[in-house]
Amino acid sequence: MIFPQTNKIEYKERKYRNLIEGKDLISFQVKEAESDLYIRANQELSFYTRQMLSNFRGQIESYIDSHHLFKSTLSPYSQDKKAPEIIKSMIHTTALCGVGPMASVAGAIAEFVGKELLNYSSEVIVENGGDIFIKSNKVRKVSIFAGSSPFSQRIILKIEAKENYIGVCTSSGMVGPSLSFGKADAVTVISDSVLLADAAATAVGNIVKTRKDVEQGLVYAQK
């Protein structure tokens, strides 16, 4: 098991996926243990995706087996030049945000799988529990799911077509299995790095425990 468990509400069915619009891409889903990827691409690539997901999860799990602190620490982890690339990327991006390396694990899976899928499809969208890798040749709209909040799915982000991919990641203190010390309904970060967006969303989410903390969280996000 990779992910730490929490007592937050977990939307296991992920019904928000039923609201996705657009028929221009093929949609498919790939699961392994806690990882549940919803993918859209130019063609059905579940066979390759399953191999990629298993490979990257295996690298993370193997590293954890020999480096137990990597999974449990909530503080930045020392860089390891001998580690797999996905591990080094997790260590680097989370250190920038002052959180433990596992704060970027979902974003890491989305980004590394997404980049590999670009070898088979010019457009790829990978959603992994609210962390999204997007490489699109047209404008895409992303709504923010925030559980029972009255703002849930009422805030829409317009993601312009880009030559490179982009990450859109959301952390919540109320919804989902990921660890958060805050109480924010949703904190969403957009970045050229899915890992960085994931880590930053976690870091900001940890700050917001009351309404008074929102401004402090925004200031931190601008650093």
Side-chain angles (χ1 to χ4, degrees):
M1 178 179 291
I2 288 182
F3 302 100
Q5 298 299 302
T6 73
N7 59 358
K8 294 187 295 179
I9 299 171
E10 183 177 355
Y11 285 79
K12 293 184 178 180
E13 294 184 41
R14 307 197 181 190
K15 294 181 179 179
Y16 57 85
R17 290 176 172 174
N18 298 329
L19 303 175
I20 294 175
E21 299 179 352
K23 304 295 183 181
D24 59 314
L25 298 177
I26 303 298
S27 301
F28 55 96
Q29 188 174 6
V30 174
K31 296 182 180 181
E32 181 175 329
E34 308 95 337
S35 298
D36 181 357
L37 308 185
Y38 178 83
I39 299 163
R40 305 189 74 201
N42 298 130
Q43 58 180 315
E44 213 283 348
L45 297 167
S46 58
F47 174 78
Y48 298 105
T49 303
R50 191 166 289 106
Q51 291 181 321
M52 296 168 192
L53 177 58
S54 180
N55 174 42
F56 291 125
R57 280 189 61 97
Q59 291 180 33
I60 296 171
E61 290 172 342
S62 294
Y63 192 80
I64 288 173
D65 285 343
S66 56
H67 301 78
H68 302 298
L69 184 61
F70 181 85
K71 179 180 179 179
S72 61
T73 184
L74 301 178
S75 302
Y77 190 84
S78 298
Q79 188 57 268
D80 182 353
K81 294 181 179 180
K82 296 182 180 180
E85 193 61 36
I86 191 169
I87 297 294
K88 289 191 286 188
S89 296
M90 290 171 66
I91 293 172
H92 173 68
T93 53
T94 52
L96 294 175
C97 300
V99 293
M102 292 300 287
S104 68
V105 65
I109 293 291
E111 179 167 326
F112 274 72
V113 169
K115 288 192 295 184
E116 288 294 317
L117 288 175
L118 287 175
N119 292 316
Y120 304 92
S121 175
S122 62
E123 293 187 90
V124 174
I125 300 173
V126 180
E127 187 266 326
N128 185 19
D131 298 321
I132 311 174
F133 170 101
I134 301 176
K135 170 59 182 76
S136 178
N137 299 329
K138 61 180 288 187
V139 173
R140 301 287 175 181
K141 294 181 180 180
V142 178
S143 66
I144 307 303
F145 179 71
S148 60
S149 167
F151 295 104
S152 186
Q153 296 176 329
R154 298 183 67 180
I155 297 175
I156 310 295
L157 304 179
K158 183 179 179 181
I159 307 299
E160 300 287 349
K162 291 188 63 177
E163 183 176 345
N164 201 4
Y165 62 84
I166 194 169
V168 180
C169 296
T170 300
S171 176
S172 173
M174 309 303 292
V175 177
S178 299
L179 181 64
S180 175
F181 294 105
K183 295 295 183 182
D185 291 314
V187 173
T188 299
V189 175
I190 302 174
S191 171
D192 290 337
S193 164
V194 190
L195 289 94
L196 183 58
D198 191 7
T202 299
V204 174
N206 286 342
I207 293 172
V208 182
K209 297 178 175 64
T210 69
R211 292 183 180 181
K212 296 179 180 179
D213 299 324
V214 172
E215 184 174 353
Q216 181 184 350
L218 292 173
V219 170
Y220 182 88
Q222 294 171 5
K223 290 183 179 180

